[in-house]
Amino acid sequence: METDEAQRVLPFQLQFDKPVASQIKIAEWNPEKDLLAMVTEDSKILLHRFNWQRLWTVSPGKSITSLCWRPDGKAIAVGLEDGTVSLHDVENGKLLRSLKSHGVAVVSLNWEEDGQMTKDEQGSISTYEDRTPHFFPPPPRVPRMPGLVSGDTGFIDDSEDSFRELSNSSQQRFNILCSGDKDGFICFSIFGIFPIGKINIHNFCVPTPLMDTKTECRLQNASVHKVALSKDLCHLIVICSGELSEDRKESENRSMTQHGVRGLHCTVLDTSIFWKRKNELHQVAQQASNIEELVEVIRASLSVMHKQWSDAMHTFHEKFDSLSNLIIDNGLDSCPQEEFLSLLGGARTSPAVHQFLVNSLGEVGVKRVSKAVCGAGKELQLIVLNHLQPAAEIIAFRMGELRGLSRWRARYQGIGLDEALINSATEKAGMILIQVERFIRVLSTVVQQFSNFFNWLLKCIKLLMSEPSDHHLLLYNSELVVIFLKFLYDQDPVKQLLEASEADDHIEVGLETMQRVKELVQFGGFSDFEYLQRTLAKEFQQVESSFKEAFLMPFTTISRKILCGDLLPLCPLPPSSASLSSTIPMSVSYYEDASQSVSSHQSQHMLLDYISFQIPDDSFSGVSNCIGIVRGFVHDSISVKRGYTSLEAVLLCVPGGYCCADLSLYKESQIVLLLNETTATSESSGNASMMIVQANDLPFVSISRSTGLNYWKLHQLEDSVVHLQMENEKVRSIPHSVIAPLAVSSSRGVACVFAARKRALVYILEEDEDEVSDAE
């Protein structure tokens, strides 16, 4: 008997039993590597190998509410309480990108890639090639700014290949990152970096089948709990809680709304636009996301340049402003420029100028100010040549690529690539290049003028101090000194070009010049002839605004094409459990059904969805300690033709003496249940068990498709509950009381269980353990 008992309760091998410093609230296995990402109660992200070696720890500084991996396992998405979704590098945990897509906590993330390789008419696998690397060197990075912490701009600020790989989406399969928040909003982004859609499940009306066509169901005060995108990107299943209302149109001018009780619901969204237009969306996202990254390079470059030049000018004025005070103290009715011009003309040196040059400034002071100003000028030139100008050039090329795509209206107008908006943004991209060229000329001239002025001052100080002339002193041009004193001493054209003032300041340009520019611009087929009156910073603001307007159109267009396909009330949430709806164990997965292939010459199979969740005990009378499993909810005309004409469900009753702590759908339609003993005494914290149930073997019951207010479909299954027995299932006993989360890796066949006493237990679910053992 003991041998039989040991064989029954030990089907899974315990690989590790390790302590954890803090309780874990979220855990996810990497889909491609033996890595486990965990989130602690104090919102730190830990990454461990399968052998429990910790690779890195990251603390975002805000509460973490969700987490998921990119399909290739090279990046991890983290949802935060303030609505931000941040992407981190798997190698070191550093921030790659952050998007503020939501206004409240992001409670669910799902990242899915296109599972099918696109083939052209000849049957060859077609891939999108980004042509930009053929014509340009690698794109510039964000320049460093003293005191800037890594990630403050939303981008990583050091040179790592992982960041470049993130944006190199031409080497990735098309993928979509979905995020849902507690206010019912769901956002979509291509490659996790280019926002392409946002919907609110509150706004969806679902016509109720088999009822009056004038009746519609709508969710009120909905909160998202789980999002799961199908592998073909055509459907998104959303588990949410909310109040289901029924709108009945009694006449043209009168409608009646009836409200139901709050419950747990499941809705499916039609996201087939992602699959139908994945090639077009791939190309647009590739160009637009890279443009947005380069726009950030320009913004950071202008910010760094403005700070460095402002610091240099502060040093200059800090020294030279004292001359004005000396002139007043000596009772002179003049200004510093006039005094310097008198000195340049060979007139008698005033006491104020003599005191300033010999005592206040001195040779050391001139050299220090010259080093600050001329050094800043050289730094600005390097930033322009290494960051600003290359970014502007690549932006112009990529906008040209988008302009070509926008003219293919049959394919790209349907996803919102508006030709007029793209043309306007392309023209603005060209104007920023012109502004950069002008800035280079102005900066070079100003730096040369300052250098010439400082050389003259050094010569004057030598003469005033009656020191022998130094042959190593640089020569100066008297005419340039005059120009400097008249136009640059108390003016700053460099700062003017870099400053983004809120006032509508513009650069004065002669009427004759403006007329000539207008003729040339119109001859070239453009419309903007006022660019000479704008500063570089103002031009950048217009460029950024035009890009946002152009890229908002695909976002808006795709958002309108994401439709609600169906809504399924799962179970009512009694007042006692309504506030705990976010902690109800639930899981959604899609499995390929090889028996329902599309055709004999294709390997594509139908995707059958499984939705599992724990039913609160007070939801239905006569149903307690049960788990509901629904399959076939995603139904369309193709699914019906393949033989799935009805929704199927089953209720599983947890064995007596146990309660469900968490659950997870596993590969091959298996369900892993984490069960706690309910008979624990005060002296003992109790034990737990992990059970695997084969869903395909369960007696699913077909339930009707009719929908009505508070018509809970699973209520039909009260008389056909399946009672699970510990001796009949694949069960492993765990010598601890356990808590959520249960982290299961379908690709590696392992599960990580967290005990209530801050311990992590890793079990091997597969009988063949060679793959997992070799990974150590």
Side-chain angles (χ1 to χ4, degrees):
M1 177 67 70
E2 293 180 359
T3 303
D4 294 341
E5 179 72 12
Q7 291 177 351
R8 181 178 65 82
V9 298
L10 297 175
F12 315 125
Q13 178 183 345
L14 175 62
Q15 192 72 9
F16 296 108
D17 183 352
K18 300 287 186 179
V20 290
S22 179
Q23 197 62 64
I24 304 300
K25 64 178 182 179
I26 305 173
E28 292 287 344
W29 287 98
N30 187 297
E32 295 294 330
K33 303 176 182 179
D34 292 311
L35 301 173
L36 177 65
M38 296 172 287
V39 177
T40 62
E41 287 289 349
D42 55 352
S43 287
K44 293 180 180 178
I45 309 173
L46 315 177
L47 186 69
H48 283 242
R49 292 188 186 274
F50 179 74
N51 61 8
W52 215 245
Q53 175 191 1
R54 184 181 297 187
L55 297 181
W56 48 259
T57 302
V58 171
S59 179
K62 299 173 184 176
S63 178
I64 299 174
T65 51
S66 54
L67 179 145
C68 78
W69 287 96
R70 196 170 76 175
D72 62 5
K74 295 181 179 180
I76 188 169
V78 179
L80 304 178
E81 65 175 348
D82 67 345
T84 299
V85 177
S86 60
L87 306 183
H88 295 262
D89 181 21
V90 67
E91 297 296 332
N92 47 36
K94 289 188 176 180
L95 180 69
L96 299 175
R97 184 73 179 268
S98 62
L99 291 174
K100 187 71 162 59
S101 303
H102 300 265
V104 294
V106 180
V107 295
S108 181
L109 289 168
N110 178 237
W111 207 335
E112 196 64 55
E113 71 178 2
D114 177 27
Q116 305 169 21
M117 298 300 292
T118 305
K119 296 185 177 182
D120 56 22
E121 297 178 355
Q122 288 74 30
S124 302
I125 295 177
S126 59
T127 57
Y128 169 61
E129 180 183 10
D130 183 13
R131 300 193 306 163
T132 310
H134 296 311
F135 301 97
F136 294 92
R141 310 297 293 277
V142 174
R144 292 181 179 273
M145 177 183 288
L148 181 66
V149 179
S150 176
D152 281 358
T153 61
F155 292 79
I156 190 169
D157 65 349
D158 53 4
S159 54
E160 294 195 4
D161 293 337
S162 56
F163 177 81
R164 187 161 294 149
E165 190 275 334
L166 176 73
S167 60
N168 188 17
S169 52
S170 61
Q171 304 301 321
Q172 300 180 36
R173 285 188 178 185
F174 182 73
N175 59 70
I176 299 288
L177 174 62
C178 307
S179 56
D181 65 34
K182 64 179 183 180
D183 279 355
F185 286 92
I186 300 173
C187 297
F188 304 86
S189 59
I190 302 176
F191 308 119
I193 58 178
F194 181 65
I196 195 59
K198 184 174 184 177
I199 58 99
N200 186 352
I201 57 177
H202 297 225
N203 298 331
F204 285 128
C205 292
V206 185
T208 56
L210 304 183
M211 292 182 63
D212 190 347
T213 57
K214 296 182 178 180
T215 303
E216 293 180 331
C217 286
R218 186 192 299 269
L219 275 174
Q220 303 288 341
N221 303 318
S223 178
V224 174
H225 300 296
K226 180 77 69 175
V227 293
L229 189 63
S230 62
K231 291 179 174 60
D232 59 5
L233 310 181
C234 289
H235 299 93
L236 178 75
I237 289 181
V238 181
I239 299 181
C240 55
S241 59
E243 181 181 312
L244 191 62
S245 63
E246 193 173 88
D247 296 333
R248 178 181 293 273
K249 188 174 182 181
E250 297 183 345
S251 64
E252 292 185 0
N253 300 321
R254 183 182 177 185
S255 61
M256 183 179 67
T257 300
Q258 182 180 359
H259 296 278
V261 299
R262 183 175 178 83
L264 193 66
H265 308 275
C266 186
T267 182
V268 59
L269 306 183
D270 180 2
T271 58
S272 57
I273 184 66
F274 295 136
W275 181 80
K276 294 176 182 176
R277 296 302 185 92
K278 60 184 176 182
N279 292 331
E280 294 89 338
L281 290 172
H282 190 153
Q283 295 181 58
V284 171
Q286 167 72 36
Q287 299 294 352
S289 60
N290 277 275
I291 288 172
E292 289 182 342
E293 291 166 9
L294 293 169
V295 165
E296 180 65 25
V297 172
I298 295 179
R299 180 187 296 107
S301 298
L302 293 176
S303 178
V304 173
M305 291 161 61
H306 182 268
K307 183 180 186 305
Q308 290 191 344
W309 187 254
S310 297
D311 291 345
M313 288 296 97
H314 176 75
T315 301
F316 173 78
H317 291 293
E318 188 179 35
K319 279 292 184 181
F320 282 79
D321 286 352
S322 62
L323 177 57
S324 299
N325 297 329
L326 290 174
I327 292 174
I328 296 174
D329 293 342
N330 283 272
L332 300 176
D333 186 16
S334 61
C335 63
Q337 294 96 314
E338 293 174 349
E339 293 296 327
F340 280 132
L341 286 173
S342 297
L343 179 62
L344 179 64
R348 184 179 63 85
T349 306
S350 67
V353 173
H354 188 282
Q355 183 180 353
F356 172 73
L357 292 178
V358 176
N359 300 329
S360 300
L361 186 61
E363 183 179 351
V364 175
V366 172
K367 290 182 178 180
R368 186 172 71 87
V369 177
S370 176
K371 182 179 179 181
V373 175
C374 298
K378 291 180 180 178
E379 287 295 325
L380 264 62
Q381 289 174 337
L382 289 176
I383 292 175
V384 170
L385 295 176
N386 296 332
H387 300 274
L388 182 58
Q389 191 173 37
E393 290 173 348
I394 298 176
I395 285 176
F397 180 85
R398 290 192 178 277
M399 284 306 307
E401 295 280 88
L402 283 176
R403 188 181 187 186
L405 296 179
S406 68
R407 294 185 175 183
W408 195 350
R409 298 171 186 161
R411 290 189 61 177
Y412 290 91
Q413 195 172 36
I415 63 169
L417 198 64
D418 186 86
E419 185 178 359
L421 293 177
I422 294 296
N423 286 342
S424 175
T426 304
E427 182 174 344
K428 293 297 182 184
M431 292 305 174
I432 196 72
L433 275 173
I434 296 176
Q435 293 282 10
V436 170
E437 291 288 346
R438 179 171 70 169
F439 178 80
I440 292 175
R441 293 195 299 270
V442 171
L443 177 64
S444 178
T445 300
V446 169
V447 172
Q448 181 186 6
Q449 293 276 10
F450 267 104
S451 178
N452 182 77
F453 176 67
F454 292 136
N455 291 338
W456 172 68
L457 285 182
L458 285 174
K459 183 74 172 180
C460 293
I461 292 174
K462 288 286 186 180
L463 293 175
L464 292 174
M465 298 180 67
S466 300
E467 294 183 359
S469 179
D470 191 344
H471 297 290
H472 297 290
L473 287 177
L474 297 176
L475 299 177
Y476 64 89
N477 187 311
S478 300
E479 294 182 359
L480 294 182
V481 174
V482 174
I483 295 174
F484 176 85
L485 292 172
K486 285 187 174 181
F487 301 104
L488 294 178
Y489 185 85
D490 58 355
Q491 300 181 42
D492 193 348
V494 174
K495 183 180 180 181
Q496 182 185 18
L497 291 175
L498 292 175
E499 208 159 41
S501 174
E502 294 297 331
D504 192 19
D505 297 333
H506 61 273
I507 300 173
E508 294 184 3
V509 181
L511 294 177
E512 184 178 347
T513 303
M514 285 297 297
Q515 183 61 32
R516 178 62 175 163
V517 168
K518 182 176 181 179
E519 293 173 358
L520 291 173
V521 167
Q522 292 177 341
F523 179 77
F526 300 101
S527 58
D528 185 6
F529 56 88
E530 297 179 348
Y531 67 92
L532 284 179
Q533 296 177 304
R534 292 192 294 269
T535 66
L536 175 59
K538 281 288 186 181
E539 193 70 58
F540 172 70
Q541 288 181 343
Q542 292 204 4
V543 167
E544 192 175 19
S545 177
S546 67
F547 287 173
K548 286 182 178 180
E549 186 179 8
F551 298 153
L552 181 62
M553 187 61 70
F555 179 90
T556 305
T557 302
I558 297 300
S559 297
R560 289 198 299 261
K561 295 189 176 184
I562 298 175
L563 308 173
C564 184
D566 198 1
L567 188 144
L568 174 67
L570 296 176
C571 63
L573 291 175
S576 60
S577 61
S579 60
L580 302 177
S581 57
S582 60
T583 62
I584 295 177
M586 59 185 70
S587 182
V588 181
S589 285
Y590 300 84
Y591 301 106
E592 290 185 355
D593 190 348
S595 63
Q596 299 290 332
S597 59
V598 177
S599 60
S600 59
H601 64 278
Q602 292 179 337
S603 59
Q604 178 185 356
H605 301 293
M606 175 184 170
L607 295 173
L608 184 61
D609 58 280
Y610 279 76
I611 304 165
S612 60
F613 60 98
Q614 184 182 29
I615 301 175
D617 288 344
D618 297 333
S619 294
F620 302 122
S621 60
V623 176
S624 63
N625 204 18
C626 282
I627 295 169
I629 305 175
V630 178
R631 72 178 182 186
F633 179 46
V634 175
H635 63 287
D636 53 20
S637 59
I638 298 178
S639 299
V640 173
K641 293 178 181 178
R642 296 174 190 169
Y644 292 89
T645 57
S646 64
L647 187 70
E648 296 181 313
V650 65
L651 293 183
L652 303 181
C653 184
V654 174
Y658 288 88
C659 64
C660 181
D662 203 358
L663 56 84
S664 177
L665 287 161
Y666 187 45
K667 61 183 179 181
E668 297 175 355
S669 305
Q670 294 178 333
I671 301 174
V672 182
L673 303 178
L674 193 59
L675 308 176
N676 265 328
E677 287 186 354
T678 57
T679 57
T681 63
S682 58
E683 294 80 12
S684 173
S685 61
N687 295 327
S689 293
M690 183 166 56
M691 173 187 296
I692 288 187
V693 179
Q694 186 65 43
N696 285 339
D697 298 336
L698 296 174
F700 279 87
V701 177
S702 178
I703 58 178
S704 65
R705 298 296 305 173
S706 61
T707 304
L709 189 62
N710 297 335
Y711 186 79
W712 310 100
K713 296 175 182 291
L714 299 185
H715 191 66
Q716 304 175 26
L717 306 179
E718 290 183 12
D719 298 331
S720 55
V721 176
V722 177
H723 295 269
L724 298 175
Q725 303 295 329
M726 301 295 284
E727 59 272 10
N728 296 335
E729 309 296 339
K730 197 174 183 180
V731 180
R732 169 71 191 234
S733 178
I734 301 174
H736 304 280
S737 177
V738 296
I739 59 174
L742 167 64
V744 177
S745 171
S746 298
S747 60
R748 300 300 176 184
V750 295
C752 185
V753 177
F754 297 96
R757 294 185 174 181
K758 296 183 181 181
R759 300 196 67 83
L761 297 86
V762 178
Y763 292 93
I764 298 176
L765 302 181
E766 302 294 320
E767 295 182 1
D768 183 7
E769 302 153 11
D770 294 339
E771 181 181 0
V772 176
S773 300
D774 292 343
E776 299 180 38

